[in-house]
Amino acid sequence: MASSVSTSSLFLLFFFATSLLLSNAFPAQHYPLHHHRRPRSAAHNYRDALTKSILFFEGQRSGKLPPNQRVTWRRDSGLSDGSAMHVDLVGGYYDAGDNVKFGFPMAFTTTMLSWSVIEFGGLMKGELQNAREAIRWGTDYLLKATAKPDTIYVQVGDANKDHACWERPEDMDTPRNVLKIDRNTPGSEVAAETAAALAAASLVFRRTDPTYSKLLVRRAIRVFGFADKYRGAYSNGLRSFVCPFYCSYSGYQDELLWGAAWLQKATRNPMYLQYIQVNGQELGADETDNTFGWDNKHVGARILLSKAFLVQKLQSLRDYKGHADNYICSLVPGTPLSQAHYTPGGLLFKMSDGNMQYVTSTSFLLLAYAKYLTSSHQVVNCGGVVVTASRLRSVAKKQVDYLLGDNPLRMSYMVGYGPRYPQRIHHRGSSLPCIAAHPAKIQCSSGFSIMKSKSPNPNILVGAVVGGPDQHDNFPDQRSDYEQSEPATYINAPLVGSLAYLAHSFGQL
């Protein structure tokens, strides 16, 4: 504001602007009147965003919906999934805006939701139970998919035929083909990620449901053994079905390291520590890649294993502090080793298709690593520039704030948060009238007229985070633009942890 304005005018202007902002962006019941922890104000209602980021998963549910389902425009769907192979594969999540169940990203989503709760669940207060339910919806399905030894059902639905339709999941009439990996058609990346998900979730339920926790960890051990013994890429054996949708470009080595790291954490069995020590280099422990997402887990494994050294003092994993530091240095702006690209508005930019997944996963890793550094009184040295835990938190907060509206378009990329957010997301269920409004079946191709229209989606998929703006901070808000307008479970999963931390640190929880 201009310095020439009088003090009283300035106060009135500030008061009016603040009141207007709060009335639009922050529902009164969520906005805290007093900050108990730190006397600083937040630009965003992180608590409200946290609530919505978890609620989103209910909109992605497949199967028989429970009585406490809060996203009421969704109904039961996929109730015969698995019947083509005489197995029960009802449940789980649709990964994004279509009606296919892809096991690879579903498992990664479950792992990251679990990690969010493991690191920051203690801060979540009333949202912790909702986060646990979101995890359990994933693990219940993964338990079904891994019920047979040395077999994992990794996909339900024909992606090409599904994408040729624009229909609600409740109306689905495309083939529900079932794909599996086994000894003859291995899939180490999806198997090891599934093991990681089960192991991570076992830690979430260890105190609240020990019986379920033990089931999860026993299954994780078995599934990881299968992943490691029968090595091979599922993108090879099932290429025509899983590519280009969730083709693994980084290979399966990163998942084996990641899966072993989670099993070491969940079981404390020295066997996994030894596995990591013997196989770490071969599995890419010190590679210089700095992308973390559903395909490449190297960076996540490094950060997780550095915790075992920094917090649990496992000296044999000392090198992982160095590996993690290399990643951090490649990311933080202003250090001699920084390689990351940012938009003019300050958003981390990796690629045009679903870039926000890298923003949310990276922000989570920064906050988790900051936590580990703080607990061990350590810093990161980036070519002579010292990077503190506080700096990492600042970088992460800036990314989350951009996502929530601090950007050149003043748009929140989370649906339902703030006064301005995407109206035409690439999502079948959200874009088509719900069953209550239109009980009659909407045929496969007749939905495309709505998909191509400029009308806003009738069903608000609250909490959905879309792919986000391009490298110039532009966002057209078009349904046909799946690269920028499609939400996905693996975009939201790591954001849950970051929002819990930020809400707590600003006294909102």
Side-chain angles (χ1 to χ4, degrees):
M1 294 182 190
S3 57
S4 58
V5 181
S6 70
T7 305
S8 58
S9 301
L10 187 66
F11 174 78
L12 287 171
L13 193 60
F14 175 77
F15 179 79
F16 176 74
T18 305
S19 302
L20 188 65
L21 180 66
L22 293 183
S23 66
N24 278 309
F26 307 144
Q29 68 270 28
H30 290 307
Y31 193 75
L33 298 176
H34 304 286
H35 296 299
H36 299 294
R37 300 215 134 253
R38 295 170 198 172
R40 52 189 178 136
S41 59
H44 289 286
N45 189 338
Y46 301 114
R47 178 178 181 168
D48 182 42
L50 171 65
T51 298
K52 288 170 175 171
S53 71
I54 299 170
L55 181 63
F56 159 74
F57 289 94
E58 294 192 20
Q60 295 301 110
R61 284 172 169 171
S62 180
K64 179 79 177 164
L65 301 182
N68 63 351
Q69 169 81 8
R70 295 176 292 169
V71 180
T72 53
W73 51 265
R74 283 294 324 282
R75 298 289 171 88
D76 298 347
S77 62
L79 297 181
S80 61
D81 281 359
S83 59
M85 296 275 274
H86 308 291
V87 290
D88 174 10
L89 294 175
V90 175
Y93 288 113
Y94 303 115
D95 70 296
D98 52 25
N99 301 325
V100 184
K101 294 195 304 210
F102 295 97
F104 194 25
M106 197 193 307
F108 178 67
T109 293
T110 306
T111 310
M112 292 310 297
L113 268 175
S114 298
W115 200 2
S116 287
V117 168
I118 289 163
E119 295 302 342
F120 303 113
L123 314 178
M124 286 182 186
K125 301 281 179 68
E127 288 305 322
L128 179 55
Q129 184 54 33
N130 290 326
R132 283 199 198 106
E133 286 184 19
I135 293 165
R136 192 160 189 150
W137 197 267
T139 50
D140 280 352
Y141 177 82
L142 294 176
L143 286 170
K144 290 181 177 185
T146 57
K148 290 185 183 176
D150 295 347
T151 301
I152 304 179
Y153 296 98
V154 297
Q155 186 172 316
V156 181
D158 182 316
N160 288 302
K161 290 181 178 174
D162 178 90
H163 288 182
C165 290
W166 193 265
E167 61 185 353
R168 303 175 294 200
E170 294 84 1
D171 287 338
M172 230 178 340
D173 51 10
T174 48
R176 299 302 282 172
N177 299 5
V178 176
L179 302 182
K180 68 174 180 174
I181 55 172
D182 54 25
R183 297 180 188 187
N184 301 318
T185 312
S188 296
E189 61 277 77
V190 65
E193 181 59 67
T194 301
L198 295 166
S202 76
L203 292 163
V204 171
F205 295 104
R206 182 164 282 175
R207 287 185 183 153
T208 56
D209 192 341
T211 303
Y212 189 64
S213 174
K214 284 171 187 163
L215 171 62
L216 292 172
V217 79
R218 280 198 305 270
R219 188 65 57 81
I221 291 166
R222 190 176 87 190
V223 170
F224 183 79
F226 163 64
D228 190 44
K229 185 176 180 181
Y230 300 98
R231 292 194 183 188
Y234 99 131
S235 297
N236 292 341
L238 301 175
R239 174 167 292 277
S240 61
F241 301 101
V242 302
C243 298
F245 312 103
Y246 289 103
C247 208
S248 177
Y249 299 100
S250 68
Y252 57 75
Q253 289 81 4
D254 53 310
E255 278 84 18
L256 287 174
L257 183 62
W258 171 245
W262 277 111
L263 275 158
Q264 188 278 324
K265 188 169 174 53
T267 66
R268 299 292 171 95
N269 186 327
M271 175 179 81
Y272 294 106
L273 193 56
Q274 185 182 11
Y275 178 94
I276 292 160
Q277 289 169 287
V278 171
N279 297 288
Q281 294 301 107
E282 177 203 339
L283 299 179
D286 59 355
E287 282 192 17
T288 55
D289 51 356
N290 67 347
T291 299
F292 179 55
W294 62 262
D295 182 17
N296 194 334
K297 322 293 162 45
H298 276 134
V299 174
R302 282 176 218 139
I303 297 285
L304 186 64
L305 290 168
S306 72
K307 180 184 185 180
F309 165 66
L310 290 168
V311 182
Q312 278 98 40
K313 311 299 182 193
L314 280 176
Q315 294 301 316
S316 60
L317 295 175
R318 171 183 292 276
D319 288 351
Y320 285 91
K321 163 75 163 65
H323 300 328
D325 285 357
N326 290 339
Y327 164 65
I328 295 298
C329 294
S330 77
L331 201 64
V332 176
T335 70
L337 307 173
S338 179
Q339 303 167 6
H341 298 286
Y342 292 84
T343 68
L347 185 71
L348 175 68
F349 196 83
K350 285 279 184 186
M351 58 183 69
S352 57
D353 187 355
N355 179 66
M356 207 58 92
Q357 66 175 295
Y358 305 109
V359 174
T360 59
S361 59
T362 301
S363 300
F364 175 84
L365 290 184
L366 288 170
L367 291 173
Y369 201 52
K371 182 182 172 185
Y372 311 154
L373 290 173
T374 299
S375 95
S376 58
H377 308 289
Q378 299 238 24
V379 294
V380 179
N381 191 318
C382 297
V385 175
V386 172
V387 176
T388 62
S390 177
R391 180 77 206 282
L392 299 189
R393 292 186 182 110
S394 172
V395 173
K397 178 182 177 295
K398 186 174 180 184
Q399 294 303 303
V400 175
D401 286 350
Y402 182 110
L403 186 157
L404 294 178
D406 290 4
N407 55 62
L409 295 181
R410 290 285 171 254
M411 171 178 270
S412 159
Y413 290 102
M414 176 185 283
V415 174
Y417 176 86
R420 186 175 183 220
Y421 51 81
Q423 301 292 314
R424 288 167 281 276
I425 67 172
H426 182 94
H427 189 278
R428 287 157 177 77
S430 172
S431 68
L432 295 165
C434 66
I435 300 285
H438 189 288
K441 181 182 171 75
I442 298 173
Q443 299 293 337
C444 163
S445 57
S446 58
F448 279 108
S449 60
I450 291 176
M451 193 274 268
K452 293 169 184 170
S453 78
K454 290 190 168 19
S455 58
N457 288 8
N459 309 309
I460 309 301
L461 185 57
V462 173
V465 179
V466 296
D470 65 15
Q471 66 267 36
H472 305 296
D473 300 298
N474 297 319
F475 182 77
D477 196 12
Q478 294 173 348
R479 249 188 307 273
S480 57
D481 182 4
Y482 64 87
E483 292 190 341
Q484 292 181 254
S485 293
E486 189 168 18
T489 57
Y490 45 84
I491 300 179
N492 273 59
L495 182 62
V496 168
S498 299
L499 289 170
Y501 170 77
L502 288 167
H504 171 77
S505 68
F506 283 94
Q508 297 174 359
L509 278 171

